[in-house]
Amino acid sequence: MFPINRGRRLRQTPEIRSLVRETRLDPSELILPVFFDANIDEVKYTDSMPGVPTYPLSGYESITKDILDSGVSSVLVFGVPKKKDSVGSDAYSDDGVVQQAIRGLKGALKDGEELVIIADLCMCEYTDHGHCGVLRDDGDVDNDPTIELYGKIAVSQARAGADIIAPSGMMDGQIDAIRTALDMEGFENTPIMAYSAKYQSAYYGPFRDIANSAPSCQCHARKDRATYQMDPANRREALREIASDLDEGADIIMVKPAGPYLDIVREAADSFPVPICAYQVSGEYAMIKAAARNGWIDERRIMMESLIGIKRAGADMIITYYAKDAAKVLRGE
């Protein structure tokens, strides 16, 4: 007459629910994107990314303290240069904005403090056309000269003190070119976190506001990145891209965006015995923020639910603009 199996038995109290919880999130698994702009003298904020600061190339001690005090121990560094040109030369300058920021963050750490600094490696913030490499005459990115520059960027970032290099350009052969360049310069122990399955997504818009990196309408450049970022409709292609990056020497692979591509995160985790990263991108963050500001959702609960969903799908680490807020929640603050 009555059910023998009652799932509710294990949901009766917070303590029991915690005891049987299948998926757990830890602050050490969260990576915070941080932005530095060589053109500003004080912290600024971007309307489409509420609460996300862009820092000047100063104040590193307060920045590192704020991050470490939250419980976050890893950052992904982006930069906006003073000048842009057709080949993104500031990206591989030893005095480039990301290189300066890495040295500043490293130098601000006190004895006993550790902050994993991951350097985003791309050229879209540094080129005057907004694409991720050198352009051909037809306006598309020229793959092979571009990956040669990626090697130069990787070496300059490693020389500045980056702990991990994270190439995001989606060029063919980029991991091999970067691994070779790093090894030749004595950085054979510097890991590569590959943006292996990076989709041509509409969720990147707010990031491009901060980084001023949208493809330009000037000259003959293409207006999107469809020839190198992946078609959102494709699943098997993502597995091929991941396999290729691993064959070329990637140590960690990434799926980007995270939320709309949880099936890809799950398949990657099931298919490859390597650390899996997922990037909860700017559009995902901005939508939660916008809905919360309108009073439509509980921001804190949605934040944590979205992150646990990414972890449950198979991610070992998550890049998120909510890293500090989520870490504080996880620490009971």
Side-chain angles (χ1 to χ4, degrees):
M1 295 289 294
F2 301 100
I4 295 174
N5 296 317
R6 294 180 183 267
R8 293 182 58 192
R9 291 180 188 133
L10 299 181
R11 304 177 198 142
Q12 295 303 300
T13 67
E15 292 76 18
I16 293 176
R17 292 193 295 273
S18 178
L19 183 66
V20 300
R21 187 161 293 140
E22 299 176 30
T23 305
R24 298 181 187 274
L25 193 62
D26 188 85
S28 65
E29 299 164 335
L30 303 176
I31 301 168
L32 177 71
V34 290
F35 296 86
F36 291 88
D37 189 334
N39 303 283
I40 61 176
D41 297 318
E42 58 184 25
V43 177
K44 74 171 186 178
Y45 291 88
T46 303
D47 289 344
S48 59
M49 288 290 283
V52 177
T54 298
Y55 299 109
L57 291 170
S58 60
Y60 299 111
E61 288 189 6
S62 62
I63 296 169
T64 56
K65 183 179 187 305
D66 179 57
I67 293 168
L68 293 172
D69 284 353
S70 74
V72 171
S73 56
S74 301
V75 295
L76 177 61
V77 180
F78 296 92
V80 180
K82 280 192 173 180
K83 65 179 180 66
K84 302 189 179 198
D85 56 35
S86 62
V87 294
S89 58
D90 198 79
Y92 48 87
S93 167
D94 285 340
D95 199 36
V97 58
V98 163
Q99 290 80 353
Q100 290 187 60
I102 292 169
R103 289 193 294 268
L105 293 171
K106 284 287 187 181
L109 295 172
K110 299 175 182 177
D111 290 344
E113 291 182 338
E114 295 290 339
L115 182 66
V116 177
I117 298 180
I118 306 166
D120 178 80
L121 190 165
C122 199
M123 295 174 66
C124 59
E125 300 105 308
Y126 304 91
T127 56
D128 54 14
H129 46 73
H131 279 281
C132 301
V134 181
L135 295 186
R136 301 188 314 221
D137 290 341
D138 65 358
D140 198 5
V141 175
D142 198 345
N143 193 94
D144 296 358
T146 293
I147 63 174
E148 290 185 30
L149 293 181
Y150 284 5
K152 292 179 64 175
I153 298 169
V155 169
S156 72
Q157 292 174 338
R159 192 179 291 130
D163 298 297
I164 299 174
I165 306 299
S168 60
M170 287 295 289
M171 295 296 131
D172 295 334
Q174 65 180 20
I175 303 303
D176 181 55
I178 291 166
R179 183 75 273 160
T180 299
L182 288 171
D183 291 355
M184 288 181 64
E185 293 297 324
F187 295 107
E188 63 274 4
N189 289 323
T190 300
I192 296 174
M193 173 190 283
Y195 285 66
S196 299
K198 181 178 180 180
Y199 285 85
Q200 194 220 350
S201 172
Y203 283 86
Y204 303 148
F207 172 94
R208 292 173 183 171
D209 291 340
I210 290 183
N212 189 24
S213 63
S216 171
C217 292
Q218 66 176 327
C219 64
H220 58 287
R222 290 176 180 263
K223 306 307 183 287
D224 60 38
R225 297 176 178 146
T227 66
Y228 48 101
Q229 294 179 357
M230 286 181 48
D231 186 330
N234 291 358
R235 177 182 58 83
R236 294 191 300 270
E237 182 185 8
L239 301 181
R240 293 199 302 271
E241 290 283 357
I242 292 168
S244 177
D245 282 356
L246 291 173
D247 286 345
E248 292 177 19
D251 301 283
I252 303 167
I253 64 95
M254 186 196 303
V255 176
K256 179 183 180 184
Y261 298 91
L262 293 181
D263 59 321
I264 308 301
V265 176
R266 179 74 269 160
E267 290 216 38
D270 288 344
S271 302
F272 302 101
V274 299
I276 308 291
C277 180
Y279 195 151
Q280 186 183 51
V281 299
S282 60
E284 296 175 78
Y285 170 85
M287 289 193 300
I288 296 173
K289 279 287 185 184
R293 284 190 167 188
N294 279 286
W296 298 336
I297 60 170
D298 181 325
E299 181 178 6
R300 177 172 161 141
R301 289 186 62 194
I302 292 287
M303 169 184 73
M304 297 309 296
E305 186 176 343
S306 67
L307 294 173
I308 204 69
I310 297 167
K311 181 74 185 296
R312 189 184 65 245
D316 299 295
M317 62 201 81
I318 303 171
I319 302 168
T320 174
Y321 301 93
Y322 273 122
K324 289 193 301 180
D325 294 336
K328 291 176 181 177
V329 171
L330 292 168
R331 296 174 71 186
E333 297 179 20

